[in-house]
Structure formats: structure tokens, C-alpha cells
Amino acid sequence: MYDTFKSHLSSELAAIESAGLYKNERIIVSPQGAAIRVSDGKEVLNFCANNYLGLSNHPQLRAAAARALETHGYGMSSVRFICGTQDLHKELEAEISRFFGTDDAILYAACFDANGGVFEPLLSEQDAIISDALNHASIIDGVRLCKAQRYRYANADMAELEKQLQAAQEQRFRLIVTDGVFSMDGNVAPLDKIYELAVKYDAMVMVDESHSAGVVGNTGRGVTELYNLKGKIEIITGTLGKAFGGAIGGFTTGKKEIIAMLRQRSRPYLFSNSIPPMVAAAGIQMFRMIDETNELQDRLHENTAYFVAKMKEIGFDIKPTESAICAVMLYDAKLAQEVAAAMLDEGIYVIGFYYPVVPKGQARIRVQLSAAHTRPQLDQCLAAFARVGKAKGILN
Ligand SMILES: *Cc1c(COP(=O)(O)O)cnc(C)c1O
């Protein structure tokens, strides 16, 4: 059997490659940070990590992880409800719900699991899930695992959302689901309007704050802070793998009874391992740190505002953004690849995105800002963009 299967895979892989869609991994030999070293020994400035608060290699988080390694050991060898819950896991859940102003929180190995395990235990055939068309893959997969009726609306299109809510009025319960920040454009979900429609059409709301937590809102509480909706949204999911230290781990936080039901029925929680003690301990330390001072959130906001304003001044076409994602629009896929390669030659690591990741004719470079970027590093990136932009005839 394997001979024929192998030739099937080989031809599929060749097709991926010839379509220019083959993903190669760049090997980093230093810790994650604003400046990284890649395997050929070259140092580059990193503008494509989700390291928004610059915490991926923060000394206080490293120290908290090292302490927990001594006091609580390396691994749990158990799911939570058998013998995989330490004091650290409960403390981290308490920190998460305190941070978001919610009743309770439940940890997962990743936000992919949080989203994969949130719908099926809560909703059934009689219910409706109304989902933004640009929601993250893990939300799409989670919805597929649930028997609820599915409705979809175009990205952030409130007229379409309203129509779908009207269409779903027969169902028992309605849940609107949206990403907080959409990762390709960096736009924020209009949660104020979504909430209004939810009230009008008797629905609940779920927001995935993976790209917005730590980033959006004055203190980084995410889109619920931006729109003054703290405590009003039924379900928030998020990751510890982006702004919050970047290691691993996800969570669902929100209404008490929802979290209680997830602890009983959510399959990735019941049938997958607990996060390691050192990750839990560093997470606790991280929430205390960003609660104590708003320095990192402020620096991220300053860096983003500075970078976006300068890029516009230089003459680039920048998508409106309310996050730490800056989409530099080039429209042409080949050009996006060439610009990313030229930027790397300039010592700046950025990634080009093109179809099918973004719509045809919408190719771009996605720049992600971090609190870890210094002003000289931002200026170095801006100067490189200016040079590459001129060399490629994008700027005149
Ligand atoms: C990154 C991301 C996830 C996945 O988070 P992990 O913890 O890495 O699994 C889920 N949802 C959204 C919106 C994301 O951006």
C-alpha cells in the first residue's frame, strides 16, 4: 500500500512546491527576541514574531520558570482531573480571570485546544453559532466538531451579522464568535456593535483575544477593554503563546457556569496533558508584572504608532490598524516575496503574505511590532524599507 500512497504524497508535495506555497522553516539559534541569530550565523532584527510585549526571553519569567522547575518539577504526566493540577495551575487560572475581569478560567495546552474544545460541550443541534468569515482556523475546526447550526458573516460586516442573527432566531441559543484582532490586516473586531446586536437579537458573544490580549486597550486587556465591555462578554479565549510570554498554553475565561461545564465536558481539557509547572509559574509572574506597571503596553503602543506614522510618511500603503500588526500593502505576490528577501539581506526579518493566506491581489508584508524593539531598531527597519521600496520601484 505505502508505495502508491508515497507516490500520491510526492505528487501533492510537488504541486504545493510548484504553486510557490511550500513552507520552509528558518532556523534560529538564539533565544526569541528583537534581535535573533539564524543558523548561518547572521544577526537579524525580528519583525515577525508575536512577541508583542517582548516577554519571550524576559529575565523575570526565566527566573520564575527556573524556580518552579526546582520546586514543582518538570512535567505533570497527567491530565488535570486525574493528578495534573498543582497550586500553580489554580493560581494561573485566578490570575487570568482577574486580568480579564471574568468569573473563572480554564487552562489548555494551547488556544487551538481552547477553541477546539469550547463549542461542542456547550451547544447542540438546536443552537446557532454565528462566526466571522476570517476567524482563526482553530475556531473553524472547533465549530466543525459541534452540532450547532452554522452561520457566517463577512469580516466585521455588521449588516451581514444582523441578517444572520435574524435567520438564527428560531434556534434555542445563539453564540456570535469573533477574533479580537484579525491577524492579516490587524483590524479589531467592532465588539461594541457586535455586543449591541447580541443584546438586540438575544445572543451570547465569544471573543478570541489571542492577538489582542496584552496589545489592545490602554492596559492590554484586549478588545473588551477597548470597547468598555469588561465582564459583559460570555466567553473569551486566548493564548499564552503570543504577548503573554510566548511559551505554550491557552485558556478560556468567562462566565462561571460555562467554565464549570468545560471542566466537565471539554475534550482537549479532559484528554490532554496539563501545562508544565514552569510555564504556569512564569505565566503567574507575567500577569503580576504587566499588572504592576503599564510600561510594556505603553512602549508597544508608542512603537506601533511611531512605526506606522513613519511608514506612511515614507510613502508606503499601510492598512489601517488598531493592533501591533502593520500590513504593508504591495498587492503583487511576487513583489511581496522579493521585498521580504531584500529586507532579509538588509538584516530585517519580515514575512510576505499572499494568496491563499490573503485574497488574490492583496499581497503584503506583515510587520509585527514589539515592546522589545528599541527606537534605533525601528529606525533601522524603516531605513531598510525605504531603500528596498526605492530599489523595487514601489516608492518614487
Ligand atoms: C495564535 C492563535 C491561536 C492559537 O494559539 P496557540 O496557543 O498557539 O494554539 C488561536 N486563535 C487565534 C486568533 C490566534 O491568533
Side-chain angles (χ1 to χ4, degrees):
M1 169 102 298
Y2 190 64
D3 280 347
T4 47
F5 189 57
K6 180 179 159 182
S7 68
H8 160 72
L9 290 183
S10 301
S11 74
E12 292 277 302
L13 286 165
I16 294 172
E17 196 152 16
S18 71
L21 301 174
Y22 199 88
K23 294 181 219 33
N24 287 299
E25 294 171 4
R26 194 170 303 284
I27 298 180
I28 297 169
V29 296
S30 66
Q32 186 61 278
I36 53 173
R37 208 166 54 254
V38 288
S39 52
D40 64 3
K42 200 173 158 187
E43 272 238 355
V44 297
L45 295 182
N46 191 1
F47 282 84
C48 56
N50 303 313
N51 184 20
Y52 295 123
L53 295 176
L55 294 173
S56 303
N57 189 35
H58 194 282
Q60 283 192 45
L61 303 198
R62 287 208 316 262
R67 274 195 306 276
L69 189 58
E70 293 308 316
T71 59
H72 286 71
Y74 173 64
M76 290 313 299
S77 303
S78 173
V79 299
R80 286 288 299 277
F81 81 97
I82 297 181
C83 54
T85 300
Q86 287 175 329
D87 48 355
L88 294 173
H89 297 97
K90 295 311 290 179
E91 271 173 58
L92 177 55
E93 287 174 344
E95 287 292 337
I96 291 169
S97 44
R98 201 181 46 75
F99 184 82
F100 287 99
T102 45
D103 299 343
D104 197 2
I106 173 174
L107 292 171
Y108 289 85
C111 187
F112 207 104
D113 291 325
N115 287 334
V118 70
F119 302 104
E120 187 261 346
L122 300 174
L123 302 170
S124 69
E125 292 99 324
Q126 304 148 270
D127 306 317
I129 299 171
I130 304 138
S131 182
D132 189 292
L134 289 191
N135 278 343
H136 191 262
S138 54
I139 293 179
I140 294 168
D141 285 9
V143 171
R144 279 188 191 143
L145 294 171
C146 170
K147 294 201 173 69
Q149 308 301 311
R150 299 168 201 170
Y151 298 83
R152 225 165 71 121
Y153 61 97
N155 180 229
D157 184 330
M158 293 298 99
E160 261 195 38
L161 171 58
E162 182 158 19
K163 266 195 220 134
Q164 298 302 317
L165 280 164
Q166 287 163 352
Q169 283 304 298
E170 294 296 297
Q171 261 83 49
R172 181 183 57 169
F173 301 123
R174 283 161 292 283
L175 177 66
I176 305 168
V177 188
T178 182
D179 279 13
V181 162
F182 295 92
S183 64
M184 286 302 138
D185 287 4
N187 59 316
V188 161
L191 201 63
D192 52 345
K193 307 221 173 60
I194 292 174
Y195 183 74
E196 262 173 45
L197 287 171
V199 171
K200 184 170 173 192
Y201 291 99
D202 198 24
M204 301 178 285
V205 179
M206 166 176 152
V207 186
D208 179 344
E209 297 266 28
S210 289
H211 273 289
S212 37
V215 175
V216 173
N218 284 333
T219 68
R221 262 68 173 168
V223 287
T224 59
E225 178 182 2
L226 185 68
Y227 291 113
N228 262 320
L229 290 166
K230 213 169 156 179
K232 295 210 171 128
I233 300 302
E234 283 80 8
I235 302 171
I236 293 172
T237 60
T239 181
L240 301 174
K242 292 189 170 111
F244 290 160
I248 192 82
F251 56 84
T252 300
T253 186
K255 300 293 182 196
K256 188 166 151 245
E257 300 75 14
I258 290 176
I259 305 304
M261 183 55 79
L262 294 176
R263 280 193 213 283
Q264 299 307 311
R265 298 257 172 88
S266 180
R267 292 166 69 84
Y269 182 78
L270 295 173
F271 300 107
S272 188
N273 209 19
S274 278
I275 62 168
M278 51 190 167
V279 171
I284 295 163
Q285 176 68 24
M286 184 277 308
F287 280 111
R288 291 187 183 152
M289 244 171 69
I290 61 174
D291 209 24
E292 210 168 275
T293 152
N294 212 52
E295 214 182 295
L296 295 176
Q297 295 94 313
D298 290 343
R299 200 174 320 141
L300 175 62
H301 296 151
E302 275 164 32
N303 281 354
T304 307
Y306 176 78
F307 186 85
V308 169
K310 288 283 174 190
M311 283 293 279
K312 286 182 184 161
E313 218 175 281
I314 292 169
F316 280 102
D317 180 2
I318 305 295
K319 279 253 179 191
T321 180
E322 292 159 284
S323 64
I325 289 166
C326 172
V328 183
M329 299 307 293
L330 299 170
Y331 303 99
D332 181 70
K334 191 156 164 285
L335 182 61
Q337 279 170 285
E338 284 173 13
V339 168
M343 288 296 287
L344 195 60
D345 290 339
E346 295 264 356
I348 307 290
Y349 190 15
V350 288
I351 296 285
F353 286 91
Y354 37 91
Y355 182 80
V357 180
V358 294
K360 274 205 173 110
Q362 291 287 309
R364 69 201 56 194
I365 300 285
R366 182 177 76 175
V367 178
Q368 289 174 283
L369 284 309
S370 168
H373 291 133
T374 62
R375 188 55 69 87
Q377 288 173 333
L378 295 176
D379 288 335
Q380 207 178 315
C381 180
L382 290 161
F385 263 115
R387 276 193 296 273
V388 170
K390 283 201 187 89
K392 300 281 171 200
I394 303 158
L395 305 171
N396 33 34

